[in-house]
């Protein structure tokens, strides 16, 4: 087989880049693993280069052709899932319906789905991780959300359960290690 038959494609869905380095480390890790990386935006306030604008509506075929989907939620995901008021002047204008639709499509389609920091709790609240093991950024409220939604919390840097990879924190090393398994 030639190189292009092995080349995997990854799509990074970006809701919020406020958590320093979350997006850039994901891009770096995926590229280190030899993946072709595309970025899709679900927020009109995020300032990154992107390939797909999905801020207005969800198209059924957005995930077609991608082997790996990474969800970057930043602080928005934390505040959205906990229901707490987000501090600061600039609040991300995230299209929640599109974000949730893509999350549901990715997990249920069997695609490798990467959920860092608070996004595992978001997926759990949608019922997408029920009966699975997962980790999450270690705060009491996020761990409780996992447990209250039928997810077994595991205190590890990353947890792989089927097609879902959850990460407690984001580093290039952790992402490449988790994706290399």
């Amino acid at each position: 087989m030639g190189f292009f038959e092995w080349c995997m494609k990854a799509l990074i869905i970006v809701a919020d880049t406020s958590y320093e380095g979350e997006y850039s480390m994901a891009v770096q890790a995926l590229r280190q693993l030899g993946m072709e990386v595309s970025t899709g935006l679900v927020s009109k306030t995020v300032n990154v280069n992107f390939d797909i604008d999905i801020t207005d509506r969800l198209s059924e075929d957005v995930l077609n052709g991608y082997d790996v989907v990474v969800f970057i939620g930043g602080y928005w995901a934390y505040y959205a899932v906990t229901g707490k008021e987000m501090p600061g002047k600039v609040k991300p204008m995230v299209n929640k319906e599109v974000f949730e639709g893509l999350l549901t499509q990715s997990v249920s389609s069997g695609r490798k789905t990467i959920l860092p920091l608070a996004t595992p709790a978001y997926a759990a609240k949608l019922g997408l991780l029920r009966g699975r093991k997962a980790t999450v950024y270690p705060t009491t409220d996020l761990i409780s959300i996992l447990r209250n939604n039928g997810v077994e919390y595991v205190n590890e840097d990353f947890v792989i359960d089927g097609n879902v990879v959850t990460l407690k924190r984001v580093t290039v090393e952790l992402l490449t290690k988790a994706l290399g398994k």
Side-chain angles (χ1 to χ4, degrees):
M1 283 198 184
F3 168 77
F4 288 105
E5 292 163 278
W6 284 102
C7 187
M8 292 181 71
K9 291 177 73 175
L11 176 63
I12 303 177
I13 303 296
V14 182
D16 178 25
T17 56
S18 63
Y19 191 83
E20 194 62 43
E22 183 183 10
Y23 170 71
S24 58
M25 285 188 272
V27 171
Q28 190 179 339
L30 294 166
R31 287 190 176 142
Q32 271 185 20
L33 291 165
M35 293 188 201
E36 183 183 310
V37 180
S38 299
T39 300
L41 286 191
V42 294
S43 170
K44 293 185 183 297
T45 52
V46 170
N47 190 15
V48 294
N49 291 331
F50 63 93
D51 306 288
I52 306 166
D53 181 344
I54 34 186
T55 55
D56 290 328
R57 62 182 171 74
L58 178 59
S59 158
E60 291 302 311
D61 61 352
V62 171
L63 301 181
N64 289 355
Y66 293 100
D67 306 293
V68 177
V69 184
V70 182
F71 288 85
I72 302 297
Y75 288 113
W76 169 82
Y78 173 81
Y79 288 102
V81 77
T82 60
K84 295 179 179 176
E85 182 62 30
M86 186 178 227
K89 294 180 189 107
V90 181
K91 293 177 176 51
M93 294 167 49
V94 178
N95 187 325
K96 275 180 71 163
E97 292 75 30
V98 172
F99 184 81
E100 292 174 4
L102 290 168
L103 195 50
T104 302
Q105 277 182 30
S106 186
V107 172
S108 57
S109 70
R111 273 183 190 79
K112 181 75 83 181
T113 304
I114 314 301
L115 305 173
L117 304 168
T119 53
Y122 203 106
K125 214 167 191 178
L126 293 175
L128 300 173
L129 303 182
R130 186 169 305 285
R132 295 186 189 237
K133 293 179 178 169
T135 193
V136 69
Y137 187 79
T139 65
T140 308
D141 46 4
L142 292 176
I143 293 167
S144 294
I145 289 168
L146 287 185
R147 290 181 171 149
N148 293 340
N149 287 280
V151 181
E152 183 184 330
Y153 170 70
V154 181
N155 188 11
E156 295 289 339
D157 285 337
F158 65 88
V159 174
I160 301 170
D161 189 325
N163 63 313
V164 178
V165 179
T166 53
L167 295 112
K168 177 194 293 191
R169 54 195 177 89
V170 179
T171 66
V172 172
E173 181 186 53
L174 261 182
L175 276 163
T176 53
K177 195 169 160 189
L179 286 167
K181 294 230 177 252

